[in-house]
Amino acid sequence: MPYFADLKNVLETYLEPPQVADAERAYKVAECAHNGQMRSSGDPYITHPVAAANILAELKLDHQTIMAALMHDVIEDCDVTKQDLTEEFGETVADLVEGVSKLTQIDFQSKEEAQAENFRKMMMAMTQDIRVILIKLADRLHNMQTLGALRPDKRRRIARETLEIYAPIANRLGIHRIKEQLELLGFANLYPLRYRILQHSVKKVRGHRKEVVERITKQLRDRLKDTGLKCQVIGREKSVYSIYKKMRDKVGTFNEVMDIYAFRVITDMEDSCYRVLGQIHNLFKPIPGRFKDYIAIPKANGYQSLHTVLRSKSGMHIEVQIRTELMDQMAEHGVAAHWLYKTGNSHHPAETKAREWLQSLIELQQNVGDSIEFIENVKIDLYPDEVYVFTPKGKIIELPKGATPVDFAYAIHTDIGNTCIACKIDKQFSPLSTPLVNGRTVEVITAPGSRPNPAWLSYAVTGKARTNIRNFVKNMRHDEAVHLGRRLLEQSLKQSLDEFSEEQLQQITEVTRYKSLDDLLANIGLGKIASALVAHRLTSDEKELKEVSKKVESAEERSPLAIKGTEGLVIKYAKCCRPIPDDPIMAYVSPGRGFNVHRENCPNIQRAHKHNDHYVPVQWSEELEGEFNTELRLHVFNQRGVLAQVTNIIANQDGNIINIDINELDGDVNIITFLMGVRNRVHLASIIKKLRVIPFVNKVYRYPDIQPKGQKRDEESH
């Protein structure tokens, strides 16, 4: 067993002899299973699982993880089943191996779908046992180390996936050592030319930098030694990928980035960290706004340290991280450092944060529609930058950079997010779209019966918020489509569906090949199937169907559908003409999207007459609710106080101003366009009547200026 010898030496330094023997048995199974298989590099395949196990052994992981790493490809690539592993090594090891294995027995529609589903499977296995992802990270790290044997296009694809998913996961779990290696190898393979240029540039300036680092290190050590603080001072060198990211994000040029010198001070106790900070701030001048206390408020991955940026007398910028030995160990190895499976009861921040993240993945999995949506939302949650805000009771909530009160509400609880209607930031009412910043106190105001607004998707950033909003919108759209479909079908039948037997309804569902009556009604509501044809199937013989279907869609044979005004996602009001109650209206059916209600003389709806199967006559219901948006355009003389007087009149007439747009017509006249909410045409006419008597208003009219048949234009010119 030549390949196992080095690994065995490492394992013997921290595992019991029986555990090392178990690992050796696992190696023999893997060696037998992979016998004859070769890697793209030409090496025997067994070298790969042994290398992955070596990476984990350096982190001193338990023997079950090492065994699973040695056999992580036997289910996927060899004639070995999970049952075989369970009988030989127990259920825990078998579950770990199965969790890392890809789904090879299922046919997927695309390569992207297969990758996404495999990723979802692995992440769900990780929620049961976090060691699954540790094995996968070790597997990916060795694959990246041996990527040179693959085609360039395949190298780029794997490198991009590593930078987008696996390096951020390692960061999220606090495993800094693996994260840095994955980033460097991913960068080198995705952008080889940029990597070589930067690496060469770093080597060129390294000599001069070494002298500066040694001088500053001595200054720091001398100051801390004089005060009696036991510390270790280390000069840190920035990674090539870290330099590239700063340049890419326009933080600075290469020379500006390299002019920042980084140091780490490691001390014995948490209290000593703050004492060291005070001494360093006396030695060098701190830069305002560049101090961060991650000890009091750990990062989302459990990382703890004090960060400060200083300026030396010569003007150089000096970055210093101050932490204890335990914090340094956790920063390098994350959840793998203070191993959960050895203690059985650990409350270290890295492990606590990892558990919280895994719980959020479970909630995400329960609400997403498919694997691709799942992986996109996981990517969102892997953002490295965090914002820390407070609840009114003082609890700290961690959110990604750019998060809004909507994300905050869902972070507290799904029900809080679903019923959120407003928020206060530092006791001041603020829009739900306001980006949150560190240190603010956020209070969410809820109302029973309220529901998520689809518009939130434009500014919610967390996976949990976006998934819950999207899931609610899907269900709401389906429910509204079912309701509208029922109304359309009953209108075509001229009787209620309750008058038909369950057998008749079941039969029509089977004939139209839908899974249920609700699915059939939803597709009627979305315009995918004509209600008249379904009605005919329910009331007529099959022989007459073809003949009737040709004429049943004509507008003359269909009575208007009553529009109530409360429909949301399935019935929409066209922005091109903005219909309001009392306007003559008609609707255009977009298959799969529902009904678009237009004013009758709208140029865009006139085309529907040429396609009668897309045209639906509609009328306003007597039970109207809510406000309807319309545009009002005024030509006003350019005088002081014009806008204030006009808006005051509109407000006094209960008009709800949503937006104002002002353009200059000529030197003396401006055009003001109001987007406003009104109840109906009568309400709009009363507003116009009040506006037209103002001396400086030259013209007022509804926009667009469409003339309904037999009605006067709602305008007045002076």
Side-chain angles (χ1 to χ4, degrees):
M1 297 187 298
Y3 300 114
F4 185 71
D6 291 340
L7 173 61
K8 185 177 181 179
N9 291 336
V10 177
L11 296 178
E12 286 175 341
T13 62
Y14 73 96
L15 292 180
E16 298 295 327
Q19 295 174 334
V20 176
D22 286 340
E24 192 167 343
R25 282 196 303 123
Y27 168 78
K28 290 177 181 177
V29 169
E31 185 181 41
C32 181
H34 293 300
N35 186 34
Q37 294 180 357
M38 306 297 286
R39 304 197 80 216
S40 299
S41 61
D43 296 326
Y45 195 89
I46 189 63
T47 58
H48 168 62
V50 170
N54 257 311
I55 292 169
L56 297 173
E58 289 174 5
L59 298 174
K60 292 184 168 50
L61 294 189
D62 63 310
H63 72 293
Q64 290 178 326
T65 309
I66 302 299
M67 293 162 68
L70 287 166
M71 300 184 293
H72 75 266
D73 278 333
V74 298
I75 292 179
E76 183 182 330
D77 297 336
C78 309
D79 191 20
V80 178
T81 65
K82 182 184 177 183
Q83 184 62 33
D84 296 335
L85 296 180
T86 303
E87 293 172 0
E88 181 70 23
F89 301 103
E91 191 172 344
T92 300
V93 173
D95 284 342
L96 288 172
V97 175
E98 202 269 339
V100 184
S101 301
K102 293 179 182 175
L103 299 170
T104 55
Q105 299 83 13
I106 303 174
D107 291 327
F108 296 100
Q109 294 181 356
S110 66
K111 193 170 185 178
E112 290 76 16
E113 185 185 349
Q115 288 177 322
E117 187 56 40
N118 282 317
F119 178 78
R120 172 150 76 167
K121 171 183 174 290
M122 181 186 69
M123 296 300 280
M124 287 303 99
M126 182 182 81
T127 63
Q128 303 302 316
D129 194 327
I130 202 168
R131 291 175 291 184
V132 168
I133 196 63
L134 298 180
I135 296 168
K136 185 61 184 177
L137 289 173
D139 166 60
R140 177 53 63 112
L141 179 54
H142 183 251
N143 280 334
M144 292 300 296
Q145 290 168 346
T146 56
L147 210 56
L150 301 180
R151 299 191 316 268
D153 61 318
K154 198 169 184 180
R155 286 206 302 269
R156 286 192 296 271
R157 178 181 61 78
I158 295 173
R160 179 175 282 107
E161 185 181 66
T162 298
L163 289 173
E164 289 182 357
I165 297 175
Y166 290 100
I169 287 176
N171 181 58
R172 195 66 174 74
L173 296 176
I175 313 173
H176 185 74
R177 178 181 291 185
I178 290 181
K179 170 237 179 189
E180 278 212 331
Q181 292 180 69
L182 289 174
E183 285 181 339
L184 189 64
L185 292 165
F187 177 49
N189 284 279
L190 185 60
Y191 303 114
L193 182 60
R194 300 179 196 182
Y195 171 77
R196 287 196 297 270
I197 292 172
L198 274 178
Q199 190 180 43
H200 177 69
S201 301
V202 169
K203 284 181 180 178
K204 280 177 65 177
V205 301
R206 187 170 284 162
H208 169 70
R209 285 180 59 84
K210 187 177 180 181
E211 295 175 8
V212 176
V213 169
E214 287 176 353
R215 186 173 72 251
I216 297 174
T217 301
K218 186 177 185 302
Q219 288 178 289
L220 290 170
R221 282 176 181 160
D222 291 346
R223 170 56 67 95
L224 296 174
K225 185 178 179 181
D226 291 343
T227 57
L229 291 168
K230 294 181 180 179
C231 302
Q232 181 184 3
V233 181
I234 306 166
R236 297 188 302 115
E237 192 169 280
K238 292 183 180 294
S239 72
V240 174
Y241 184 66
S242 172
I243 295 168
Y244 169 71
K245 280 201 302 183
K246 287 182 179 293
M247 294 172 63
R248 182 194 63 190
D249 298 337
K250 296 184 172 63
V251 175
T253 63
F254 176 78
N255 289 332
E256 289 170 336
V257 172
M258 293 303 290
D259 278 345
I260 300 174
Y261 294 84
F263 298 84
R264 183 172 297 154
V265 179
I266 301 173
T267 184
D268 52 352
M269 297 183 300
E270 186 176 306
D271 178 64
S272 299
C273 294
Y274 294 95
R275 294 170 64 195
V276 168
L277 178 71
Q279 292 299 325
I280 291 176
H281 279 188
N282 283 329
L283 181 62
F284 299 113
K285 184 174 290 186
I287 298 176
R290 301 293 299 275
F291 168 68
K292 293 179 181 177
D293 188 345
Y294 292 121
I295 294 179
I297 306 177
K299 283 190 175 185
N301 59 10
Y303 172 89
Q304 290 184 290
S305 186
L306 297 179
H307 287 198
T308 187
V309 181
L310 315 150
R311 183 182 285 110
S312 70
K313 292 179 180 179
S314 59
M316 291 185 302
H317 282 195
I318 303 167
E319 290 181 356
V320 183
Q321 298 174 353
I322 309 166
R323 61 181 71 149
T324 66
E325 291 179 7
L326 178 59
M327 291 174 190
D328 187 58
Q329 188 181 22
M330 292 302 304
E332 290 299 310
H333 304 300
V335 294
H338 191 201
W339 189 235
L340 182 64
Y341 299 94
K342 292 179 183 177
T343 64
N345 182 26
S346 175
H347 299 288
H348 193 279
E351 292 164 11
T352 303
K353 300 290 185 182
R355 292 291 162 195
E356 290 174 357
W357 182 50
L358 297 181
Q359 184 59 42
S360 73
L361 290 181
I362 294 173
E363 292 181 27
L364 194 64
Q365 152 73 12
Q366 292 169 347
N367 291 319
V368 293
D370 55 39
S371 301
I372 294 176
E373 184 180 338
F374 175 79
I375 194 172
E376 287 303 318
N377 283 317
V378 170
K379 282 183 183 179
I380 290 171
D381 281 343
L382 291 174
Y383 279 135
D385 298 324
E386 298 92 20
V387 172
Y388 299 93
V389 291
F390 296 90
T391 68
K393 293 183 178 180
K395 181 182 177 183
I396 298 171
I397 301 293
E398 301 154 3
L399 295 166
K401 190 175 182 180
T404 63
V406 171
D407 300 295
F408 175 86
Y410 277 104
I412 297 173
H413 196 278
T414 301
D415 291 340
I416 299 293
N418 286 340
T419 56
C420 170
I421 57 169
C423 76
K424 289 182 179 179
I425 300 177
D426 289 344
K427 298 184 179 181
Q428 299 291 322
F429 278 102
S430 302
L432 289 174
S433 58
T434 306
L436 298 175
V437 296
N438 281 326
R440 297 292 174 87
T441 298
V442 183
E443 179 184 354
V444 176
I445 300 167
T446 61
S450 61
R451 58 189 189 180
N453 187 336
W456 293 353
L457 285 171
S458 63
Y459 47 79
V461 301
T462 61
K464 183 176 181 181
R466 294 183 65 81
T467 300
N468 278 286
I469 297 165
R470 196 177 283 123
N471 193 47
F472 191 91
V473 168
K474 285 178 183 175
N475 292 334
M476 183 169 64
R477 178 184 175 86
H478 182 266
D479 293 344
E480 289 184 354
V482 170
H483 178 65
L484 177 59
R486 177 179 286 271
R487 289 170 59 196
L488 288 168
L489 184 54
E490 289 180 343
Q491 182 188 46
S492 296
L493 289 167
K494 295 184 172 58
Q495 63 185 117
S496 171
L497 283 180
D498 295 335
E499 298 177 23
F500 292 86
S501 66
E502 288 187 15
E503 290 77 10
Q504 286 176 295
L505 296 176
Q506 180 63 32
Q507 185 179 8
I508 192 62
T509 302
E510 291 174 358
V511 169
T512 52
R513 298 181 181 178
Y514 287 101
K515 294 179 181 178
S516 65
L517 179 62
D518 276 0
D519 281 346
L520 171 61
L521 295 176
N523 279 277
I524 293 174
L526 291 170
K528 292 183 178 180
I529 184 172
S531 61
L533 295 178
V534 178
H536 184 69
R537 284 187 182 273
L538 277 169
T539 57
S540 304
D541 294 332
E542 182 70 21
K543 295 178 182 178
E544 302 174 16
L545 178 61
K546 290 184 180 179
E547 181 180 346
V548 177
S549 64
K550 294 178 182 177
K551 60 181 181 179
V552 77
E553 293 298 324
S554 64
E556 291 75 17
E557 296 189 12
R558 302 172 68 183
S559 56
L561 175 74
I563 300 295
K564 295 182 179 179
T566 56
E567 294 83 356
L569 295 173
V570 179
I571 294 182
K572 308 180 190 71
Y573 299 93
K575 293 182 179 179
C576 58
C577 57
R578 299 194 184 278
I580 60 175
D582 299 331
D583 281 333
I585 53 174
M586 62 177 67
Y588 186 82
V589 184
S590 289
R593 297 185 180 180
F595 284 24
N596 290 286
V597 179
H598 293 252
R599 288 156 71 179
E600 193 176 70
N601 283 11
C602 175
N604 292 331
I605 198 65
Q606 292 301 312
R607 304 187 190 100
H609 288 297
K610 300 176 183 178
H611 306 282
N612 286 332
D613 56 325
H614 294 305
Y615 164 71
V616 177
V618 290
Q619 64 184 18
W620 297 106
S621 168
E622 295 180 1
E623 303 171 358
L624 284 170
E625 300 177 17
E627 289 184 342
F628 297 79
N629 293 345
T630 190
E631 289 189 40
L632 196 62
R633 183 162 287 185
L634 285 76
H635 293 208
V636 298
F637 295 110
N638 192 2
Q639 297 180 19
R640 181 175 295 180
V642 170
L643 185 60
Q645 191 169 343
V646 170
T647 54
N648 187 49
I649 288 174
I650 294 174
N652 289 337
Q653 294 298 310
D654 293 328
N656 179 26
I657 298 174
I658 300 168
N659 187 54
I660 301 174
D661 185 44
I662 303 176
N663 292 292
E664 185 177 322
L665 182 64
D666 54 43
D668 296 324
V669 178
N670 289 336
I671 298 177
I672 307 177
T673 304
F674 292 92
L675 175 61
M676 53 194 288
V678 296
R679 294 185 295 275
N680 48 41
R681 279 177 61 88
V682 174
H683 185 199
L684 177 63
S686 69
I687 294 173
I688 292 175
K689 185 177 179 180
K690 292 290 183 181
L691 292 173
R692 69 186 182 188
V693 299
I694 302 175
F696 50 69
V697 174
N698 183 46
K699 184 185 291 187
V700 54
Y701 58 94
R702 183 178 173 189
Y703 184 83
D705 189 14
I706 300 171
Q707 299 296 312
K709 292 179 181 177
Q711 296 193 32
K712 282 182 66 179
R713 175 193 289 177
D714 291 323
E715 74 156 69
E716 182 73 17
S717 297
H718 286 217

